[in-house]
Amino acid sequence: MRKLLDNAKRANGGDGLKVHLQTQQEVKLRMTGMALSVIRNDGFLALYNGLSASLFRQMTYSMTRFAIYETVRDKLAKDNKGPLPFYQKVLLGAFGGFTGGFVGTPADMVNVRMQNDVKLPAHLRRNYAHALDGMYQVLRQEGLKKLFSGGSMAASRGALVTVGQLACYDQAKQLVLTTGVLSDNIFTHFLASFIAGGCATFLCQPMDVLKTRLMNSKGEYRGVGHCAIETARLGPLAFYKGFVPAAIRLVPHTVLTFVFLEQLRKYFGIKVLA
C-alpha cells in the first residue's frame, strides 16, 4: 500500500502537466511553459491538484489489475510448470488492465477534472474539495452515467498499459535472464522495468489522450469515434500530446513499482515462474 501511495504522489505532478497539454485544442504551450504558467497563476501546489483522486485511483485501478494478473499468472505457471508464453501474458495483462481501468474510471475522471481546474476561469471551476466530494458532486449533478464517462477509453488504456507494464516486464526480465549475462538482481529488475515503462507509454498514449478529452468534456463530443475524429483533425501527433510528461511520469512509476515489488517478493520468499 505504501508503494502505491508513494508512486501516486510522485506521478501526480507530471500527470497534471500531461492533462493540461492533452486538453489543449491547439498547441499553445509546451511542457515547461505549461508548468511555469500553472505555477505563476496558481502556485507550485497547483501541480498537485487531484492528488486525493490520484491516490484513490491507484487503490482501485492498480490493485485490481495487479491482483488479477499476478494471481492468474502464478496459477497458470504452476500448472504449466514453467513460464507462460508471451501471448498468454499479453492476453492476461489486457484482461486485468481492462477490468482495473473500468473499476478506476470514477476516480480517474475526478482526477482529470481536478487537475484541469487550474486552466479554467474562476467562475467555471468545479472546485472539488477531494476525490470523494468530486464523485458525489458528479453523481448528484450529472448522474451515474457521467461518473463512468470515458470508461471505455479508460478500460482500453488500462489494458494497453498493463500489457506494456506487466506482460512486457515479465518478458523482458525473462529474456535478460536467459542471456546468462545478468542474474536475478536489482539491476535486472531496473532494466526490465525501464523497458516495460517505455513500452507502456508508447502503447497507451493515444488512448490516454482520448480518455482525457472525453472525461474533461462538457458535451462537445458525441462519443469515442467523434472524439477520435476531432483529435485526428489536429494531426497524427495530436494523439501523442503530452508524451514527454507521460513518459516522465510512467517510466519512473514503472521502475519504482517493480523494484519495490521484487524486493517484497524476495523478502517474503515468493518465487515467480512466469
Side-chain angles (χ1 to χ4, degrees), residues 34-90:
M34 183 66 76
L36 293 174
S37 175
V38 171
I39 293 171
R40 183 169 55 250
N41 294 329
D42 296 273
F44 180 78
L45 291 180
L47 293 174
Y48 287 86
N49 278 359
L51 178 59
S52 63
S54 182
L55 292 171
F56 191 67
R57 176 177 176 269
Q58 290 293 333
M59 294 171 65
T60 51
Y61 159 67
S62 287
M63 290 180 72
T64 300
R65 68 193 182 106
F66 267 86
I68 292 173
Y69 181 86
E70 296 270 325
T71 302
V72 178
R73 181 205 60 193
D74 291 348
K75 178 66 170 62
L76 293 175
K78 185 177 180 181
D79 292 341
N80 294 339
K81 297 181 179 179
L84 300 180
F86 183 55
Y87 80 91
Q88 289 186 5
K89 296 174 186 174
V90 169

Side-chain angles (χ1 to χ4, degrees), residues 147-169:
L147 202 58
F148 285 88
S149 174
S152 59
M153 286 295 99
S156 299
R157 178 196 179 276
L160 290 173
V161 77
T162 305
V163 168
Q165 282 186 321
L166 277 68
C168 288
Y169 173 79

Side-chain angles (χ1 to χ4, degrees), residues 21-34:
L21 290 168
Q22 288 174 351
T23 52
Q24 290 185 106
Q25 289 300 323
E26 298 177 2
V27 180
K28 299 175 183 177
L29 292 173
R30 301 293 182 182
M31 184 179 69
T32 304
M34 183 66 76

Side-chain angles (χ1 to χ4, degrees), residues 81-112:
K81 297 181 179 179
L84 300 180
F86 183 55
Y87 80 91
Q88 289 186 5
K89 296 174 186 174
V90 169
L91 292 175
L92 181 55
F95 176 73
F98 190 90
T99 305
F102 185 78
V103 170
T105 296
D108 200 6
M109 189 201 69
V110 172
N111 184 32
V112 168

Side-chain angles (χ1 to χ4, degrees), residues 172-189:
K173 179 184 171 184
Q174 183 182 328
L175 292 173
V176 170
L177 291 176
T178 54
T179 63
V181 177
L182 296 173
S183 60
D184 191 359
N185 55 33
I186 195 167
F187 182 73
T188 298
H189 306 155

Side-chain angles (χ1 to χ4, degrees), residues 1-2 10 12 29 42 74 77 89 117 122 127 134 139 243:
M1 180 65 72
R2 182 180 293 275
R10 291 187 182 97
N12 200 73
L29 292 173
D42 296 273
D74 291 348
K89 296 174 186 174
D117 246 13
N127 294 319
L139 185 63
F243 181 83

